Amino acid sequence: MNYIPVTELEKEAMLKEIGISSIDELFRDIPEELRFKGDLKLPKGLSEYETRKALIKLAKKNTDMNQLANFMGAGAYNHYVPTLVDHLLSRSEFYTAYTPYQPEISQGTLQNIYEFQTIICELFGMDVSNASVYDGATAVAEAMVMACDKKKNEIIISKGLHKEYRETVETYANGMGFTVKYAELEDGITPVDAYEAQATDATAAYVVMYPNFYGCIEDIQKIAEAAHARKALMIVSVSDLSAMGILEAPGNLGADIVVGDGMPFAGPLSFSGPNIGLIATTDKLARRLPGRICGMTVDTEGKRGFVLTMQAREQHIRRAKASSNICSNQALYALANNITLSTLGKYGLKEMAENTLTNAHYCRDRLLEIDGVEMLYDQPFYSEFAVKLPIPARVLQKHLLKSEILGPVDMGIFEKELSNVGLFFVSEIRSKDDMDRLALAMEVIINEQKFI
Amino acid sequence: MSKNLFSQTEALIFDKSRPGHKAYFLPEMSIEKLDKYRVIPSHLIRRTEADLPEVSEIDVVRHFTHLSSKNFGVDTGFYPLGSCTMKYNPKLNENTARLPGFSWLHPYQPVETVQGALQLMYLLQVSLAEITGMDKVTLQPAAGAHGELTGIKIIKAYHDSRGDSKRTKIIVPDSAHGTNPATATMAGFQVIEIKSSPEGDIDLEALKAVVGDDTAGLMLTNPSTLGLFERNIKAIAEIIHGAGGLLYYDGANTNAIMGITRPGDMGFDVVHVNLHKTFSTPHGGGGPGSGPVGVKEFLAKFLPIPTVEYVDYKDKYKFNYDVPETIGRMKSFYGNFPVIVRAYTYIRALGADGLKKSSEYAVLNANYLKKLVGKHLSVEAPDRFCMHEFICTPKNIQETGVHTLDIAKRMIDYGYHPPTIYFPLIVEEAMMIEPTETEGIETLQDFAEVVGAIVTECKTYPEMVKTAPHTTYVKRLDEVKAAREPNLRYRKPIVV
């Protein structure tokens, strides 16, 4: 099939107008030796019905979370997303539009960005947000670019930052001439000394995750004070965004740049799905932000409206001197974040976070009743905690699937020596029954496996 | 009181907030609520809630429905935005991306439980490799510019692996997209800009003058940003390769060439394509996109991790983290998967025939429209056939004092999204028009007639054009005020 609304007769009329007799003539600028001969080796096209069947067949080879009780997080956090979100996202005036470069006919997208920027600033306690970057990992990388310059060209990152975020930052740093140093964890959190031990006059920023990759809540206030004493910036990467319903906003604890990923509020996790990089900062650093920013203004008749602004930072104007090369971002998921967080509102987010905290602690208590299961670190936590298991996490995972339970995340995939550590994520949508079932199943599996 | 929704200012969601209203219902708790002060240090507990709105479900639905009515999408009307390929976004793709077996997956699920997702990724990789004439593809980059950064880093890794550290320069033509030089800088290269001929071709002599043993590579769009096929591409490839550099293909304009010619055969070593342009996935108001990168075999060892592989003897798919000379990771997880599902759906539906026909009709539509618009405005390269897009300018009506911006704004009054304007930078007052293959002859004819009507207005009543648009919800907006007095977020009025 195809989506071409031109008939053979119409085609003939068009060719005639152009003054040629076949479409092929239009390609005469392409040297003959470069013309592709024959057919591309691709399966034959299908009808709409057949295509849908083929895709359903592929989808069926996956086990979807709806059939399971999910206890996996580690950067992809499954919280409640209201039904209305996907309905509103599906309004095609939103999703079939391009970047709002023509503001007169893009006020829907633009007003959404303005509201989104406000909501992100509220969550993080910051002055300015942009319209999004790709994901949480690239948001940390962009924050590094904001913080570093020729003189201050190194950053110190806590080992408690998500492994994949660290790897992404390293990729970005390599080539830009920035050095990435690491502050080691001590009992699951990053002591100020670990940063201080690495710091020099060239240190541009300290980076910490909040709560960190192991679920532990870091004292970002202390770290921020130490960073500022060194004339370095404090970059905070928020892990599970819903934590902003219960944890103090990083901006109120001394953060200069706050980043995160709006995935939990953008829709179903979709394997590697609706990531949306969040990045917010102080008024002082606003002009170093990457990507698009929306501002309020007025039209020629004095009516309120919105435009993309401060574009002198961006690649289409500054080219080689732009603050980033980013062009497309994750705009549709910014809309989803705005809708979800407007629906939850002030008290919904708080309730979500408090229920998550309650559930996660109940679950932890239940799991610790099992012989041989211990906390990896004994620190305050929010929605995630890492436990040491008497069996490999991978084995536990496999057997839990039989009880229709997904999780925990096998920490061995990040650090080989942690193959007996499982990272459990528990949110407000997990029922007491789910957690009791998990504890029961785990106990049985561990007892069976220990003797194998 | 009756209100005209389409001209009325939509209050901010924050102004609609009323204490006590709620739109959420969370699962009832059967566990006693934990006292947060018992488990979190008190100075890390939030003192004041984030000031999010308190609204009812119907308020949320109406608010965003009203906002959507103030937007123009491909489904609203013709969107001839050059370089952006605003083709129709098939509804089938929206449905397949939402199949529970694709949408309700966690990135760290055991690999046995996501074989269908991996198979889909693998099949899309193989399809894109075939379409572009490359050997191996990664789907990790989240957008075109992200693909560029991935590709340029691969070029850097290649030279570094050979101990060839003096290659510090990337050559970019002055007609290039802004992302090209910005990307080269972000990858740590110095950008050498070279002039193009008036028709957007690379000046071979100028190219020869700048290449040398410090050349890491050249970034090129073909068809060029003027919508013309770069006829000297073979010679260009020889010059760059001869100097030890590599060729990077910016795939923004791939919609002109599917099944007709392939970057891999032209001599390019690295390419990116935009799934949100060529492969029909929606632009989403600015994203998410997806910018897969394809490379020739000798560069495969530098691809970002993880790669998706097929294990023959097991008939299984897997992630491979063991890529010894990898450039590293470009983002968390594996790419914008919902976009990937849409693009695969599109390629599966169209097949080789459908893709080729799409490119043919994209080029047919562009040349037809060029002919019609050429009756009213100056067109660039009038004697050559364009590919999927062409450039026109108001040079022929210069004396009216009307500029490209004005004409673009006036098009809005006639129900059309304006073309890309003032790009490429090398053509003064450029209007870049890309109709795509998903438009019919009547739309093209009507659009050309509108251009004719606006040109007449420019001559008879220029003020009408210079102050356009007149029919929109807001008129021209004060961008200077927006930049000088930044108002980038709502703040609650302080009540004294």
Side-chain angles (χ1 to χ4, degrees):
Chain A
M1 65 179 296
N2 60 61
Y3 297 97
I4 300 165
V6 179
T7 66
E8 275 299 305
L9 270 179
E10 288 166 345
K11 180 184 92 176
E12 294 306 325
M14 291 163 80
L15 289 171
K16 202 172 154 203
E17 173 74 34
I18 299 167
I20 53 175
S21 57
S22 78
I23 288 183
D24 215 43
E25 290 174 53
L26 295 171
F27 294 100
R28 70 180 178 202
D29 273 0
I30 303 178
E32 186 52 32
E33 54 176 327
L34 293 182
R35 289 295 299 268
F36 183 72
K37 313 289 187 313
D39 296 323
L40 291 170
K41 284 192 221 62
L42 296 174
K44 205 170 158 296
L46 300 174
S47 68
E48 184 177 294
Y49 178 81
E50 294 163 314
T51 310
R52 183 185 296 134
K53 288 293 266 189
L55 269 290
I56 288 172
K57 202 173 152 196
L58 275 176
K60 279 212 165 134
K61 293 185 184 177
N62 303 318
T63 311
D64 74 77
M65 239 189 263
N66 287 332
Q67 311 168 34
L68 310 164
N70 173 42
F71 290 91
M72 282 191 169
Y77 304 103
N78 186 200
H79 288 280
Y80 161 68
V81 178
T83 305
L84 59 84
V85 174
D86 194 46
H87 281 265
L88 293 168
L89 281 193
S90 299
R91 290 201 61 95
S92 66
E93 299 89 337
F94 284 133
Y95 81 78
T96 72
Y98 189 70
T99 301
Y101 286 135
Q102 296 291 341
E104 297 89 345
I105 45 175
S106 311
Q107 286 297 305
T109 297
L110 286 162
Q111 183 167 335
N112 167 63
I113 298 173
Y114 183 85
E115 292 180 359
F116 165 80
Q117 289 172 180
T118 304
I119 281 181
I120 298 310
C121 288
E122 278 296 326
L123 293 184
F124 289 165
M126 301 307 284
D127 301 322
V128 199
S129 158
N130 80 354
S132 77
V133 294
Y134 309 132
D135 73 338
T138 53
V140 181
E142 293 282 5
M144 166 186 72
V145 178
M146 283 174 71
C148 290
D149 57 28
K150 280 212 173 79
K151 272 191 197 146
K152 284 195 170 266
N153 57 11
E154 60 175 44
I155 58 165
I156 305 173
I157 299 181
S158 158
K159 274 272 177 77
L161 183 71
H162 194 302
K163 177 89 181 298
E164 296 191 4
Y165 287 30
R166 280 185 267 147
E167 290 170 352
T168 305
V169 173
E170 283 182 20
T171 309
Y172 272 69
N174 172 27
M176 296 195 81
F178 302 147
T179 304
V180 179
K181 292 177 168 177
Y182 288 105
E184 297 291 336
L185 296 185
E186 207 177 290
D187 198 19
I189 56 165
T190 333
V192 167
D193 293 349
Y195 286 100
E196 294 296 300
Q198 301 281 339
T200 68
D201 289 345
T203 303
Y206 289 2
V207 184
V208 70
M209 197 166 220
Y210 179 63
N212 72 19
F213 192 39
Y214 298 90
C216 307
I217 302 174
E218 300 261 9
D219 189 343
I220 56 175
Q221 189 167 36
K222 259 202 234 160
I223 301 170
E225 281 165 11
H228 293 156
R230 279 263 174 203
K231 292 198 165 44
L233 297 178
M234 184 69 220
I235 298 172
V236 176
S237 170
V238 174
S239 52
D240 178 350
L241 191 56
S242 74
M244 294 297 97
I246 202 164
L247 295 185
E248 184 57 288
N252 296 338
L253 295 170
D256 300 289
I257 304 172
V258 185
V259 300
D261 196 315
M263 195 180 193
F265 297 142
L269 299 180
S270 305
F271 197 36
S272 172
N275 289 105
I276 160 174
L278 311 172
I279 185 160
T281 190
T282 56
D283 279 327
K284 204 175 138 197
L285 295 171
R287 284 181 198 272
R288 291 203 210 166
L289 276 171
R292 293 163 189 151
I293 297 176
C294 170
M296 189 189 278
T297 184
V298 292
D299 73 0
T300 47
E301 293 169 359
K303 191 173 178 181
R304 189 205 70 189
F306 302 91
V307 291
L308 293 180
T309 191
M310 292 164 44
Q311 297 191 61
R313 303 162 295 111
E314 290 189 71
Q315 47 79 24
H316 61 286
I317 311 284
R318 282 296 285 281
R319 299 177 76 84
K321 293 197 175 72
S323 60
S324 166
N325 73 336
I326 191 168
C327 181
S328 282
N329 53 26
Q330 302 286 105
L332 197 65
Y333 301 137
L335 175 64
N337 271 226
N338 186 13
I339 300 170
T340 303
L341 286 157
S342 293
T343 304
L344 286 173
K346 198 173 182 171
Y347 298 107
L349 182 67
K350 186 178 179 183
E351 192 179 322
M352 175 186 276
E354 290 180 350
N355 292 358
T356 294
L357 183 82
T358 297
N359 276 349
H361 283 75
Y362 174 81
C363 190
R364 191 255 334 239
D365 292 347
R366 288 299 320 264
L367 300 191
L368 291 186
E369 287 166 15
I370 303 167
D371 219 20
V373 174
E374 301 169 39
M375 286 295 275
L376 179 65
Y377 301 120
D378 192 18
Q379 295 289 350
F381 67 97
Y382 166 59
S383 58
E384 269 184 305
F385 54 92
V387 299
K388 279 193 266 184
L389 301 161
I391 59 172
R394 185 176 44 80
V395 174
L396 175 65
Q397 229 180 35
K398 208 169 112 192
H399 285 86
L400 281 173
L401 262 181
K402 292 182 205 150
S403 308
E404 294 174 344
I405 291 168
L406 182 62
V409 167
D410 167 15
M411 293 301 269
I413 62 177
F414 304 109
E415 312 286 347
K416 275 205 182 80
E417 64 276 16
L418 296 183
S419 61
N420 272 33
V421 173
L423 184 67
F424 287 86
F425 163 74
V426 191
S427 77
E428 79 291 346
I429 56 175
R430 286 284 71 83
S431 67
K432 179 170 177 293
D433 182 54
D434 290 335
M435 297 184 278
D436 291 340
R437 229 160 42 77
L438 168 71
L440 215 69
M442 246 174 89
E443 189 163 20
V444 173
I445 294 163
I446 287 172
N447 283 331
E448 280 172 8
Q449 292 295 317
K450 267 199 295 202
F451 302 105
I452 293 175
Chain B
M1 192 177 73
S2 76
K3 292 173 176 175
N4 182 351
L5 277 181
F6 299 102
S7 60
Q8 189 190 334
T9 303
E10 182 67 21
L12 294 171
I13 190 86
F14 311 105
D15 287 326
K16 294 181 179 175
S17 178
R18 298 290 177 268
H21 282 254
K22 64 179 273 193
Y24 67 93
F25 294 91
L26 299 175
E28 191 104 4
M29 297 288 284
S30 50
I31 304 165
E32 199 192 333
K33 196 165 156 184
L34 185 65
D35 175 8
K36 57 191 167 192
Y37 289 92
R38 262 186 50 212
V39 293
I40 304 173
S42 61
H43 72 289
L44 297 177
I45 291 177
R46 196 145 190 142
R47 273 161 296 174
T48 45
E49 292 88 16
D51 200 3
L52 308 181
E54 293 176 75
V55 284
S56 305
E57 180 158 342
I58 188 73
D59 300 330
V60 177
V61 170
R62 292 215 173 114
H63 177 72
F64 290 99
T65 303
H66 292 175
L67 286 188
S68 74
S69 76
K70 299 183 189 326
N71 242 25
F72 188 107
V74 173
D75 285 6
T76 316
F78 188 41
Y79 214 124
L81 200 62
S83 199
C84 300
T85 314
M86 300 298 285
K87 64 167 77 174
Y88 171 65
N89 308 129
K91 302 308 161 197
L92 172 62
N93 305 355
E94 297 304 308
N95 283 5
T96 56
R98 286 170 170 83
L99 287 169
F102 293 135
S103 57
W104 290 96
L105 300 181
H106 191 280
Y108 297 129
Q109 274 186 228
V111 75
E112 313 84 68
T113 66
V114 292
Q115 283 295 304
L118 290 177
Q119 187 178 352
L120 183 144
M121 291 176 80
Y122 182 79
L123 291 172
L124 182 59
Q125 288 175 183
V126 172
S127 305
L128 294 175
E130 172 69 7
I131 293 165
T132 55
M134 306 306 280
D135 295 312
K136 199 156 183 195
V137 169
T138 171
L139 305 176
Q140 197 175 108
H146 204 214
E148 289 178 31
L149 187 59
T150 306
I152 294 301
K153 282 188 163 293
I154 288 171
I155 290 177
K156 184 167 191 326
Y158 165 76
H159 293 308
D160 287 350
S161 77
R162 294 155 47 89
D164 196 352
S165 57
K166 62 189 175 304
R167 297 192 179 270
T168 54
K169 291 173 182 164
I170 290 279
I171 304 169
V172 176
D174 56 2
S175 60
H177 299 113
T179 48
N180 290 178
T183 294
T185 303
M186 254 187 128
F189 286 107
Q190 190 189 336
V191 178
I192 304 295
E193 198 174 85
I194 54 161
K195 281 212 178 311
S196 314
S197 76
E199 289 195 356
D201 293 320
I202 295 276
D203 180 336
L204 292 181
E205 293 313 311
L207 182 64
K208 280 181 198 154
V210 296
V211 296
D213 60 3
D214 58 356
T215 302
L218 167 76
M219 296 179 87
L220 198 64
T221 311
N222 192 18
S224 71
T225 59
L226 275 80
L228 299 170
F229 194 84
E230 174 62 74
R231 292 168 292 195
N232 291 324
I233 181 62
K234 271 286 192 194
I236 292 166
E238 274 164 30
I239 293 170
I240 297 295
H241 286 152
L246 298 182
L247 263 82
Y248 183 87
Y249 181 83
D250 175 335
N253 295 344
T254 310
N255 206 43
I257 61 162
M258 289 184 289
I260 291 161
T261 180
R262 308 193 302 177
D265 300 335
M266 298 176 206
F268 287 95
D269 305 291
V270 188
V271 314
H272 90 262
V273 291
N274 300 72
L275 299 186
H276 50 290
K277 295 180 180 176
T278 316
F279 299 98
S280 83
T281 75
H283 284 70
S290 176
V293 167
V295 295
K296 289 282 176 64
E297 189 59 49
F298 74 101
L299 297 173
K301 60 183 175 187
F302 304 112
L303 284 171
I305 48 162
T307 58
V308 177
E309 315 276 356
Y310 175 59
V311 189
D312 221 340
Y313 67 97
K314 285 186 183 162
D315 191 23
K316 293 275 180 225
Y317 298 87
K318 66 161 194 178
F319 285 118
N320 177 24
Y321 290 86
D322 188 20
V323 183
E325 295 184 70
T326 177
I327 57 164
R329 177 183 276 286
M330 292 303 296
K331 71 182 286 291
S332 57
F333 315 135
Y334 328 114
N336 277 330
F337 186 69
V339 180
I340 288 166
V341 177
R342 287 177 175 91
Y344 177 75
T345 304
Y346 179 74
I347 291 174
R348 191 71 193 84
L350 267 64
D353 283 355
L355 292 177
K356 184 173 182 189
K357 195 171 174 191
S358 295
S359 283
E360 288 176 342
Y361 278 72
V363 172
L364 174 68
N365 276 357
N367 279 284
Y368 180 65
L369 191 57
K370 182 182 175 191
K371 194 85 187 178
L372 301 188
V373 168
K375 294 174 182 172
H376 310 294
L377 289 171
S378 305
V379 291
E380 294 293 302
D383 304 328
R384 282 174 71 178
F385 290 130
C386 66
M387 293 285 110
H388 64 304
E389 64 190 3
F390 65 94
I391 313 267
C392 61
T393 71
K395 260 176 223 158
N396 59 321
I397 51 166
Q398 227 169 8
E399 70 286 354
T400 63
V402 178
H403 291 284
T404 283
L405 179 71
D406 307 320
I407 295 172
K409 296 295 184 195
R410 185 63 177 145
M411 285 177 183
I412 296 172
D413 286 331
Y414 286 94
Y416 290 117
H417 194 286
T420 296
I421 52 175
Y422 300 104
F423 184 82
L425 307 178
I426 60 168
V427 179
E428 238 175 275
E429 297 276 318
M431 255 182 265
M432 184 196 239
I433 299 180
E434 179 181 8
T436 83
E437 74 280 10
T438 62
E439 298 298 333
I441 186 169
E442 277 157 17
T443 302
L444 305 180
Q445 288 169 347
D446 187 70
F447 177 78
E449 275 171 35
V450 162
V451 171
I454 295 172
V455 167
T456 306
E457 287 175 351
C458 292
K459 292 172 182 162
T460 55
Y461 190 15
E463 272 316 296
M464 176 74 127
V465 183
K466 286 182 186 172
T467 53
H470 302 283
T471 56
T472 43
Y473 158 69
V474 288
K475 307 292 178 289
R476 280 195 208 189
L477 289 146
D478 189 344
E479 298 194 9
V480 175
K481 177 184 161 72
R484 286 215 182 124
E485 306 158 31
N487 174 346
L488 310 176
R489 58 165 295 193
Y490 169 85
R491 286 189 197 267
K492 202 170 245 176
I494 297 161
V495 186
V496 190

